[in-house]
Amino acid sequence: MVSAGTLHVITTELAIGAYATAGVAFLLAGLASHGLFGLGRHLHTADLAAHFALAFGLLAMPFAMATGISSSPGDGIDHPLLINKMLLGSGAIGLAMGVLLTRRRLGAGVWEDRGGRRWQSLGGLGAVGLVLITASMGGTYTRGESLLDVLSLPYDVVPLMPVWLSLAVLCLAVVNLVLMRRPRAT
């Protein structure tokens, strides 16, 4: 039988590899959509690669989270580092879902709108960034070191959202839902 630790390594590498590929592709798609560096002709390829890799990473992420909880010593989520990993991983899942749903709703036309191309690129890159920070935290937890040690991030402190920030996020979500319901002008 395969241990939870081994399964966690496999699922984590799948998720991180997919998100890293998506990150490169979203960067290229963002540059191509703005016509920078002569990449305009590669927009379609970068768009497809970015969204496919992001979707694959989105599918792999829950398995990485579940096997990570199973393989951690103790009674599950009882360490601040693991709680932070769950918060960041969940944030990455939310961003990835938003980017993929926007692409599904608007199609390749998302890259034609000036604001849309920026938010699509930034949303994809944000999800990738959250996953890479989460992976770095895993290195801190298992090996005592990570790629992001130079930033001296407070991994052992669990950030609690103040009420004002929770309300701001709630209002932003409601506005976003209302704007999504509005018919698109064609």
Side-chain angles (χ1 to χ4, degrees):
M1 182 177 230
V2 179
S3 71
T6 302
L7 284 175
H8 182 59
V9 169
I10 293 168
T11 56
T12 299
E13 294 302 326
L14 283 172
I16 292 171
Y19 274 94
T21 302
V24 171
F26 271 111
L27 180 63
L28 291 174
L31 293 172
S33 69
H34 286 87
L36 300 172
F37 305 114
L39 293 172
R41 63 190 175 103
H42 300 293
L43 177 59
H44 180 69
T45 303
D47 169 51
L48 293 177
H51 290 94
F52 180 81
L54 191 64
F56 186 79
L58 185 61
L59 291 174
M61 193 69 155
F63 293 108
M65 293 169 102
T67 57
I69 292 169
S70 298
S71 65
S72 67
D75 296 329
I77 305 177
D78 58 355
H79 193 280
L81 197 62
L82 296 176
I83 295 169
N84 283 331
K85 287 181 67 159
M86 291 297 291
L87 289 172
L88 288 170
S90 298
I93 288 172
L95 269 174
M97 287 176 65
V99 166
L100 291 171
L101 289 173
T102 300
R103 173 60 169 83
R104 183 176 187 276
R105 183 168 185 247
L106 300 177
V110 74
W111 299 106
E112 295 168 9
D113 179 55
R114 182 179 181 148
R117 71 181 97 166
R118 287 189 181 148
W119 285 113
Q120 194 71 358
S121 298
L122 290 174
L125 290 171
V128 170
L130 289 176
V131 168
L132 294 180
I133 291 171
T134 304
S136 182
M137 291 172 77
T140 299
Y141 186 72
T142 57
R143 294 183 306 277
E145 65 179 4
S146 78
L147 183 62
L148 300 178
D149 281 344
V150 296
L151 299 178
S152 300
L153 297 173
Y155 292 146
D156 291 336
V157 176
V158 178
L160 298 176
M161 282 180 83
V163 173
W164 66 268
L165 186 57
S166 296
L167 290 173
V169 170
L170 179 65
C171 290
L172 184 63
V174 169
V175 167
N176 193 20
L177 287 172
V178 168
L179 291 176
M180 283 183 65
R181 304 273 311 157
R182 208 171 27 161
R184 192 173 62 173
T186 53

